[in-house]
Amino acid sequence: MKSHQTTQTMKPATAAKKLGVYLEATPAEFQEGVVSRAELNALQTDPPEWLRELRRTGPHPRPVVAAKLGVSISGLARGGVTDALTTEQIEALKAESPEWLVRERAVQAEVRKEAARIKEQQDKKAAGA
């Protein structure tokens, strides 16, 4: 019996998410086709110029924007940021430091501190067990 290896493919939206880029900003041929696992790996290891430029200047998808601003995706929504932003727009927001951004960064810092406290508590419990 032969086992046939099928090529694993994904939709462009999934590939864009894995690459950390905004789908609408990718080239048309990327948006219209399907991406194989091998193609995705090739894009990650040796990104073409369009991908390097997108990662450098944007527009960036919300998870990337949130990470660059140091807030959660929910915090972005609460701050009224619902669209993709360019690196320039993100830097302008950081420089402007609106009240919502300061507040959301503080919330995110508290969340991280609490997560670290819980992890430390679990580690102590595991070491003692």
Side-chain angles (χ1 to χ4, degrees):
M1 230 187 339
K2 275 188 182 176
S3 66
H4 293 286
Q5 188 73 21
T6 58
T7 304
Q8 187 180 20
T9 60
M10 62 193 82
K11 294 177 182 176
T14 304
K17 188 174 183 179
K18 289 179 181 287
L19 292 169
V21 295
Y22 187 57
L23 178 62
E24 284 75 14
T26 61
E29 61 268 12
F30 181 85
Q31 292 180 37
E32 294 162 3
V34 292
V35 181
S36 71
R37 173 68 58 191
E39 290 169 332
L40 179 69
N41 290 340
L43 287 169
Q44 289 173 323
T45 55
D46 186 24
E49 184 54 38
W50 66 264
L51 183 54
R52 285 195 297 271
E53 185 63 25
L54 262 182
R55 287 176 169 167
R56 190 171 34 255
T57 62
H60 303 287
R62 288 184 312 147
V64 174
V65 173
K68 286 179 180 266
L69 289 174
V71 299
S72 66
I73 295 172
S74 300
L76 278 181
R78 286 190 292 270
V81 178
T82 56
D83 296 330
L85 298 179
T86 63
T87 300
E88 193 175 287
Q89 291 169 315
I90 293 169
E91 293 306 318
L93 257 177
K94 284 181 181 177
E96 185 183 308
S97 198
E99 184 183 319
W100 71 265
L101 182 57
V102 172
R103 183 176 59 248
E104 291 301 333
R105 281 181 165 169
V107 166
Q108 193 68 11
E110 284 299 315
V111 167
R112 286 189 189 111
K113 196 175 356 173
E114 180 64 9
R117 185 190 68 77
I118 290 170
K119 184 180 181 328
E120 186 179 311
Q121 196 174 40
Q122 289 171 339
D123 290 347
K124 282 182 184 176
K125 197 180 272 187

